[in-house]
Short mmCIF file of all heavy atoms in Angstrom, two decimals:
data_model
loop_
_atom_site.label_atom_id
_atom_site.label_comp_id
_atom_site.label_asym_id
_atom_site.label_seq_id
_atom_site.Cartn_x
_atom_site.Cartn_y
_atom_site.Cartn_z
N SER D 1398 -14.42 21.59 9.09
CA SER D 1398 -14.01 21.69 10.57
C SER D 1398 -12.88 20.83 10.79
O SER D 1398 -13.00 19.58 10.55
CB SER D 1398 -15.33 21.37 11.44
OG SER D 1398 -16.35 22.27 11.23
N ALA D 1399 -11.87 21.31 11.34
CA ALA D 1399 -10.58 20.64 11.52
C ALA D 1399 -9.53 21.57 12.29
O ALA D 1399 -9.83 22.73 12.49
CB ALA D 1399 -9.97 20.14 10.22
N VAL D 1400 -8.46 21.01 12.55
CA VAL D 1400 -7.27 21.83 12.98
C VAL D 1400 -6.34 21.99 11.74
O VAL D 1400 -5.91 21.04 11.15
CB VAL D 1400 -6.53 21.24 14.12
CG1 VAL D 1400 -5.40 22.20 14.55
CG2 VAL D 1400 -7.48 20.99 15.32
N TYR D 1401 -6.04 23.30 11.47
CA TYR D 1401 -5.16 23.56 10.29
C TYR D 1401 -3.82 24.01 10.86
O TYR D 1401 -3.66 24.86 11.59
CB TYR D 1401 -5.74 24.66 9.45
CG TYR D 1401 -7.06 24.20 8.71
CD1 TYR D 1401 -8.30 24.04 9.42
CD2 TYR D 1401 -6.97 23.78 7.35
CE1 TYR D 1401 -9.42 23.74 8.69
CE2 TYR D 1401 -8.13 23.26 6.73
CZ TYR D 1401 -9.41 23.28 7.43
OH TYR D 1401 -10.38 22.74 6.80
N PHE D 1402 -2.74 23.26 10.34
CA PHE D 1402 -1.46 23.58 10.76
C PHE D 1402 -0.65 24.14 9.63
O PHE D 1402 -0.71 23.69 8.50
CB PHE D 1402 -0.73 22.34 11.17
CG PHE D 1402 -1.14 21.78 12.55
CD1 PHE D 1402 -1.98 20.58 12.70
CD2 PHE D 1402 -0.87 22.37 13.81
CE1 PHE D 1402 -2.44 20.16 13.78
CE2 PHE D 1402 -1.20 21.78 14.88
CZ PHE D 1402 -2.08 20.71 15.03
N CYS D 1403 0.20 25.08 9.96
CA CYS D 1403 1.20 25.62 9.08
C CYS D 1403 2.57 25.02 9.57
O CYS D 1403 2.76 24.95 10.79
CB CYS D 1403 1.18 27.21 9.10
SG CYS D 1403 2.42 27.88 8.20
N ALA D 1404 3.49 24.75 8.65
CA ALA D 1404 4.78 24.32 9.12
C ALA D 1404 5.81 25.02 8.05
O ALA D 1404 5.42 25.31 6.99
CB ALA D 1404 5.00 22.78 9.02
N SER D 1405 6.94 25.21 8.56
CA SER D 1405 7.97 25.75 7.73
C SER D 1405 9.29 24.91 7.91
O SER D 1405 9.40 24.26 8.89
CB SER D 1405 8.28 27.30 7.90
OG SER D 1405 8.94 27.57 9.15
N GLY D 1406 10.22 25.07 6.89
CA GLY D 1406 11.39 24.21 6.94
C GLY D 1406 12.34 25.04 6.03
O GLY D 1406 12.09 25.85 5.26
N LEU D 1407 13.61 24.43 6.08
CA LEU D 1407 14.69 24.95 5.30
C LEU D 1407 15.24 23.74 4.49
O LEU D 1407 15.76 22.79 5.06
CB LEU D 1407 15.86 25.58 6.18
CG LEU D 1407 16.98 26.14 5.40
CD1 LEU D 1407 16.50 27.31 4.50
CD2 LEU D 1407 18.12 26.65 6.33
N VAL D 1408 14.96 23.84 3.12
CA VAL D 1408 15.45 22.65 2.30
C VAL D 1408 16.57 23.13 1.55
O VAL D 1408 16.49 24.19 0.93
CB VAL D 1408 14.23 22.18 1.38
CG1 VAL D 1408 14.74 21.21 0.39
CG2 VAL D 1408 13.02 21.71 2.28
N GLY D 1409 17.63 22.27 1.59
CA GLY D 1409 18.78 22.62 0.78
C GLY D 1409 19.18 21.45 -0.17
O GLY D 1409 18.23 20.84 -0.68
N VAL D 1410 20.42 21.08 -0.33
CA VAL D 1410 20.77 20.20 -1.32
C VAL D 1410 20.49 18.74 -0.88
O VAL D 1410 20.34 17.81 -1.64
CB VAL D 1410 22.30 20.28 -1.68
CG1 VAL D 1410 22.45 21.61 -2.48
CG2 VAL D 1410 23.10 20.21 -0.53
#
Side-chain angles (χ1 to χ4, degrees):
Chain D
S1398 298
V1400 181
Y1401 290 82
F1402 289 105
C1403 174
S1405 72
L1407 182 62
V1408 172
V1410 293

